[in-house]
């Protein structure tokens, strides 16, 4: 069997990247995060090259300064006291096509600051598949391996080829392959290392390389809600452009596509991960999906059936923070909410679920300067 090699195109430069900000200033995390809460930023570095990122992080480490490398701000809840260290934002926004072949597919690399949804859209427009079901997820490309981002039956662990990182312990740049990343459900070694290293873990993501299929049809649809929206059966394929449109419609219906006019989108997406437990702990009637030797159930179902319906929680914060009116997994800033308000609501939801079902919900966003 012979494999045709297609000459890679010129790099796709889609302009300077900016975080998913809500306002034009940059003096507080309220201006740098999608939930629009959080205290002051003491020092901000907007890096335009890989060298500037590495220099900013290395200098902070050598001088005992805490450092936070910030992506799109869509998965970070910062205390109302802010962050006393250095915040580094990767403003680079470029995609390089490294290799395209009939056997190996498309191998493409994006800088960490590239907005994830732009990366997805470019791949679909070029006729590549494998990440189309993750359309509309806010945040940056560099965050995808940290969280092992996934949606509607796809996870980035299925298509990541390598991750270029700066190793803060060894003080050098290198590449990590999937087997070194420890990717699991919404987790990775990159994320786990924050327990020891602080706001940003040992490995700072500089760029991510993906290997995608050469196809204008999607990978087999694995999620029933998405299949139903497209009018097909689970396991079928549809044009990737149609799948993207359906995913974006579903996400909008849940307030999961950023829209400054919609307060339900002033959130961090799904605030709790779906619990993974033994089968006997799943309540009667709750969804369950095999996950190795255990089972995954729906955090949204648990929240709703514990008495926390859509829009719940306004009485706790004088209406400043509630569950989304569209989706019980999102905690939203209705206007003027503090991080303290969001945490008050999160603790109440978690407590009710634990009291009702004996299951402890775990937060998906990173919480900085506070504890749930």
């Amino acid at each position: 069997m012979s494999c045709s090699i297609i000459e890679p195109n010129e790099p796709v430069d889609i302009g300077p990247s900016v975080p998913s900000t809500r306002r034009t200033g940059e003096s507080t995390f309220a201006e740098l995060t999608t939930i629009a809460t959080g205290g002051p930023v003491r020092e901000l570095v907007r890096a335009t090259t890989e060298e500037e990122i590495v220099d900013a992080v290395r200098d902070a480490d050598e001088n005992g300064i805490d450092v936070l490398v910030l992506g799109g701000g869509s998965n970070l809840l910062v205390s109302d006291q802010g962050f006393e260290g250095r915040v580094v934002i990767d403003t680079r926004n470029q995609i390089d096509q490294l290799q395209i072949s009939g056997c190996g597919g498309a191998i493409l690399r994006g800088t960490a600051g590239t907005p994830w949804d732009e990366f997805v859209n470019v791949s679909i427009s070029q006729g590549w598949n494998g990440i189309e079901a993750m359309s509309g997820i806010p945040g940056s490309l560099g965050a995808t391996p940290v969280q092992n981002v996934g949606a509607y039956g796809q996870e980035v662990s299925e298509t990541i080829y390598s991750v270029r990182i700066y190793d803060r312990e060894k003080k050098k740049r290198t590449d990590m392959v999937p087997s070194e990343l420890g990717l699991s459900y919404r987790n990775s070694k990159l994320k786990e290392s924050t327990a020891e290293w602080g706001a940003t873990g040992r490995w700072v993501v500089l760029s991510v390389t993906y290997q995608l299929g050469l196809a204008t049809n999607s990978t087999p649809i694995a999620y029933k809600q998405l299949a139903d929206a497209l009018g097909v059966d689970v396991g079928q394929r549809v044009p990737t452009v149609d799948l993207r449109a359906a995913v974006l419609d579903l996400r909008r219906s849940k307030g999961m596509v950023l829209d400054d006019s919609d307060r339900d989108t002033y959130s961090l997406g799904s605030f709790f991960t779906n619990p993974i437990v033994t089968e006997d702990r799943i309540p009667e009637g709750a969804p369950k999906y095999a996950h190795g030797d255990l089972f995954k159930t729906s955090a949204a179902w648990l929240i709703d059936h514990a008495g926390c319906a859509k829009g719940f929680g306004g009485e706790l914060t004088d209406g400043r923070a509630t569950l989304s009116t569209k989706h019980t997994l999102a905690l939203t800033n209705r206007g003027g909410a503090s991080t303290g308000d969001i945490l008050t609501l999160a603790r109440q939801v978690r407590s009710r679920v634990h009291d009702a079902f004996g299951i402890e919900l775990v937060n998906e966003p990173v919480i900085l300067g506070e504890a749930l």
Side-chain angles (χ1 to χ4, degrees), residues 53-85:
I53 297 166
V54 173
D55 286 348
V57 173
R58 182 188 292 121
D59 176 76
D61 288 343
E62 291 175 351
N63 289 282
I65 301 170
D66 290 337
V67 65
L68 168 65
V69 179
L70 180 65
S74 61
N75 200 53
L76 179 68
L77 185 67
V78 182
S79 77
D80 295 312
Q81 287 68 49
F83 180 67
E84 283 299 310

Side-chain angles (χ1 to χ4, degrees), residues 101-228:
S101 75
C103 291
I107 300 177
L108 60 154
R109 177 181 59 217
T111 52
T114 301
W116 168 250
D117 192 53
E118 291 187 27
F119 188 81
V120 175
N121 194 33
V122 166
S123 73
I124 291 172
S125 70
Q126 296 293 316
W128 308 325
N129 75 359
I131 56 176
E132 59 278 356
M134 292 178 279
S135 292
I137 296 176
S140 65
L141 182 66
T144 57
V146 178
Q147 291 289 125
N148 187 19
V149 165
Y152 296 109
Q154 286 182 345
E155 284 188 341
V156 298
S157 60
E158 299 163 354
T159 46
I160 284 179
Y161 186 83
S162 65
V163 178
R164 181 150 181 83
I165 55 91
Y166 170 64
D167 186 334
R168 297 171 65 190
E169 181 176 280
K170 296 183 178 180
K171 298 184 179 181
K172 69 175 187 177
R173 281 169 266 192
T174 188
D175 294 303
M176 298 177 74
V177 296
S179 61
E180 297 174 300
L181 295 170
L183 298 168
S184 59
Y185 175 60
R186 301 300 172 268
N187 201 13
S188 68
K189 283 175 60 177
L190 308 175
K191 182 178 179 180
E192 289 174 350
S193 70
T194 60
E196 177 182 354
W197 285 81
T200 289
R202 170 181 166 181
W203 299 280
V204 176
V205 177
L206 301 171
S207 62
V208 187
T209 301
Y210 277 83
Q211 184 172 24
L212 305 177
L214 303 183
T216 56
N217 275 347
S218 68
T219 59
I221 298 171
Y223 197 85
K224 186 175 186 304
Q225 185 183 31
L226 181 56
D228 290 345

